[in-house]
Amino acid sequence: MELNYLRAFFEVAKAGKFSEAAQKLNISQSALSRSVSLLEESEGVILFDRSKSGVTLTAKGRDVFQLCEDLFRTEKAIENLCRNVQETCEGPLKFAATDNVVNDYLIEPLHTFRRKYPKVIPSITSGSPDDIVNSLIHTDNEFALLFAKVALPNIEYQKISSEVMTLVCKPEIWKECKSSSNEKTIKNILEKYGYLCSIGALQSTRPKRVVMELFGEMPQVGLEMNSQEAQKRFCLSGEGFAYLTRFMVEDEIKKGLLFEVPVDNPHEFNLWLAYRKGRQLSLTSRTFIEHVTKYVEGHL
């Protein structure tokens, strides 16, 4: 197999377009296209689905792309070793995280990390758990940070920390619906305002079990949205109950903006590090993950 053909394929896969990859490699677009075609012909595979807007990897192409990442990272490591070059923490830091992780976990550690490593350039993809885990397969994001595992066969998970959940609502709502017991007050609020949850969450096995354990019955849904940050904001506006990590609403509870509802045995959710199986993370990514882990442990 011709290594230059693999490199041509690799650059096109990263760029998503032949024109951009050709510019980076400083060769003509026709020469680049020919190299990729020769690779596909010699190995009897189709690596790209081609369209006017660019290219997307086929299933086989994704597998080859993952191996190419390891191949060219190893090639670079060998080159550095032979030239006695010390790997440094610099350059792009490409990862994905759910919005609540970005807003409530990463602001301060990312700030201190950038002060320590000013040559690192973070690039963060935010979205739902499904979106960000899929970005590990379809983009060059190295890892993801999220609270929910997404079941994909080629993704590995590593626990970073556990976070206690808390049920919250606007204090005025609690006072308005106050009854002879907390259980009756909770029922009154659910009937009048409802429960804020992710879209389709109550049809999923674990979220359904969690709310059943929390309320003793399936609650009336007030609003559905996939953004936990949005759930918190709607809760602050008085739209009902939200069940969020305590870390996420700690400041609002202390300031009296949200009321922490007393519940027995609140659940814990794990903060997960997700990455593709067999992928060796760069020094920059490994250093940042260690930095975030220490920060989270220090604030538990």
Side-chain angles (χ1 to χ4, degrees):
M1 182 178 290
E2 176 59 51
L3 187 62
N4 286 336
Y5 293 167
L6 274 178
R7 191 179 299 279
F9 156 77
F10 184 60
E11 293 300 334
V12 173
K14 287 196 296 181
K17 293 183 178 180
F18 277 93
S19 57
E20 293 181 12
Q23 187 175 10
K24 181 176 181 180
L25 292 171
N26 197 28
I27 62 175
S28 68
Q29 185 172 332
S30 60
L32 180 61
S33 179
R34 180 59 179 163
S35 294
V36 173
S37 295
L38 286 171
L39 174 63
E40 292 177 316
E41 291 170 9
S42 63
E43 301 303 321
V45 294
I46 301 298
L47 301 174
F48 289 119
D49 288 324
R50 296 162 170 82
S51 68
K52 291 182 179 180
S53 60
V55 296
T56 56
L57 289 165
T58 63
K60 181 67 70 174
R62 289 195 293 270
D63 292 339
V64 174
F65 178 76
Q66 291 173 25
L67 292 174
C68 281
E69 284 188 311
D70 296 334
L71 171 64
F72 293 121
R73 187 179 295 113
T74 301
E75 179 189 43
K76 184 64 176 180
I78 294 172
E79 180 182 313
N80 290 340
L81 178 65
C82 292
R83 296 179 180 179
N84 198 28
V85 175
Q86 181 69 37
E87 189 179 13
T88 58
C89 188
E90 62 182 20
L93 171 65
K94 295 187 177 183
F95 67 98
T98 49
D99 64 335
N100 59 320
V101 173
V102 173
N103 293 323
D104 296 291
Y105 283 80
L106 295 186
I107 303 299
E108 181 60 26
L110 188 59
H111 172 74
T112 54
F113 184 79
R114 293 195 65 214
R115 303 290 76 75
K116 189 174 182 179
Y117 302 101
K119 292 186 178 180
V120 172
I121 305 171
S123 175
I124 308 171
T125 300
S126 182
S128 69
D130 287 331
D131 292 336
I132 69 169
V133 170
N134 276 297
S135 79
L136 299 180
I137 301 172
H138 301 294
T139 73
D140 52 358
N141 284 330
E142 287 196 64
F143 64 92
L145 297 169
L146 67 165
F147 278 104
K149 282 186 174 181
V150 178
L152 290 177
N154 53 344
I155 299 296
E156 291 188 16
Y157 291 90
Q158 177 183 322
K159 177 182 170 183
I160 291 182
S161 68
S162 293
E163 290 291 339
V164 177
M165 305 294 290
T166 186
L167 183 66
V168 290
C169 68
K170 194 171 182 179
E172 290 81 359
I173 288 178
W174 183 263
K175 292 176 183 177
E176 174 193 340
C177 299
K178 185 69 175 173
S179 187
S180 57
S181 68
N182 288 341
E183 290 75 15
K184 289 182 179 179
T185 303
I186 290 172
K187 187 173 182 179
N188 290 341
I189 293 174
L190 287 175
E191 289 176 351
K192 186 169 184 178
Y193 293 97
Y195 175 60
L196 305 171
C197 65
S198 298
I199 296 174
L202 299 190
Q203 279 73 54
S204 301
T205 303
R206 190 188 181 198
K208 186 176 180 178
R209 174 180 61 80
V210 167
V211 296
M212 284 292 292
E213 292 173 354
L214 181 64
F215 297 118
E217 60 183 1
M218 290 302 292
Q220 175 179 308
V221 174
L223 282 173
E224 289 184 319
M225 66 217 74
N226 282 338
S227 166
Q228 288 190 326
E229 180 65 23
Q231 289 175 28
K232 181 175 82 170
R233 291 180 181 276
F234 276 110
C235 189
L236 283 165
S237 73
E239 285 296 332
F241 282 127
Y243 197 40
L244 304 167
T245 57
R246 198 178 195 285
F247 188 96
M248 186 177 180
V249 293
E250 194 166 17
D251 286 344
E252 287 79 8
I253 292 172
K254 288 179 180 178
K255 293 175 182 177
L257 299 175
L258 287 176
F259 175 70
E260 184 174 17
V261 180
V263 297
D264 295 328
N265 304 314
H267 298 85
E268 288 189 355
F269 279 77
N270 295 325
L271 177 61
W272 297 103
L273 165 70
Y275 52 91
R276 287 203 305 266
K277 285 184 178 179
R279 176 160 195 171
Q280 181 183 357
L281 298 180
S282 66
L283 173 66
T284 300
S285 289
R286 297 196 308 271
T287 305
F288 178 68
I289 292 166
E290 181 180 357
H291 184 83
V292 171
T293 302
K294 289 181 178 178
Y295 172 82
V296 172
E297 289 174 350
H299 286 75
L300 292 180

